């Protein structure tokens, strides 16, 4: 079965950190450009990071790739309550620059992992 699976979400206090993981089943992430997105209730989905031939990252977030583990990570630091959302990873085949990652036609989307930032 071909799918993307996110993990690593949870409840964290303001100022804390989380690292999300994005792993693939049925295909290899190495050949894909990966985007991380989030969506909070009542809000539109927004992009937070992308990794392809270059990287694009939003503020306190860092994206990285471990090809040996075929996993892409999203390190989130100094978390704020407004970072609370469901976080999704998405994969599009090819090695893109990420300059247009918000509008790529992604081949696969994960089911999402919930991140809640609250004291």
């Amino acid at each position: 079965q071909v799918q993307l699976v996110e993990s690593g979400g949870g409840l964290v206090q303001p100022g804390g950190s989380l690292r999300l993981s994005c792993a693939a089943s049925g295909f290899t992430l190495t050949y894909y450009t990966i985007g991380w997105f989030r969506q909070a209730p009542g809000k539109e989905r927004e992009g937070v990071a992308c990794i392809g031939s270059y990287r694009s990252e939003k503020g306190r977030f860092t994206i990285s790739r471990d090809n040996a583990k075929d996993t892409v990570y999203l390190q989130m630091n100094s978390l704020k309550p407004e970072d609370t959302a469901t976080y999704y990873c998405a994969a599009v085949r090819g090695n893109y620059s990420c300059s247009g990652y918000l509008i790529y036609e992604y081949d696969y989307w994960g089911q999402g992992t919930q991140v809640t930032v609250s004291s």
Side-chain angles (χ1 to χ4, degrees):
Q1 184 177 4
V2 177
Q3 61 180 353
L4 282 176
V5 179
E6 303 95 338
S7 61
L11 174 64
V12 62
Q13 292 187 342
S17 298
L18 278 177
R19 189 178 75 163
L20 306 183
S21 300
C22 175
S25 174
F27 67 102
T28 302
L29 285 181
T30 303
Y31 306 112
Y32 288 75
T33 296
I34 306 301
W36 277 100
F37 298 83
R38 67 184 182 186
Q39 189 165 21
K43 295 187 177 181
E44 293 189 353
R45 186 176 64 198
E46 63 172 329
V48 297
C50 172
I51 187 165
S53 57
Y54 293 93
R55 295 188 304 182
S56 175
E57 297 155 326
K58 186 182 181 77
R60 297 162 282 107
F61 299 167
T62 302
I63 191 170
S64 62
R65 185 197 296 265
D66 185 335
N67 288 332
K69 295 183 178 181
D70 202 30
T71 300
V72 172
Y73 301 100
L74 181 69
Q75 178 68 41
M76 306 187 296
N77 297 326
S78 302
L79 285 164
K80 303 176 181 180
E82 51 263 43
D83 295 317
T84 296
T86 301
Y87 284 71
Y88 302 88
C89 62
V92 56
R93 186 170 178 88
N95 195 27
Y96 300 108
S97 69
C98 288
S99 62
Y101 83 97
L102 297 180
I103 59 171
Y104 291 161
E105 293 187 6
Y106 290 91
D107 299 302
Y108 305 107
W109 287 85
Q111 292 300 305
T113 185
Q114 177 67 37
V115 172
T116 302
V117 184
S118 175
S119 55

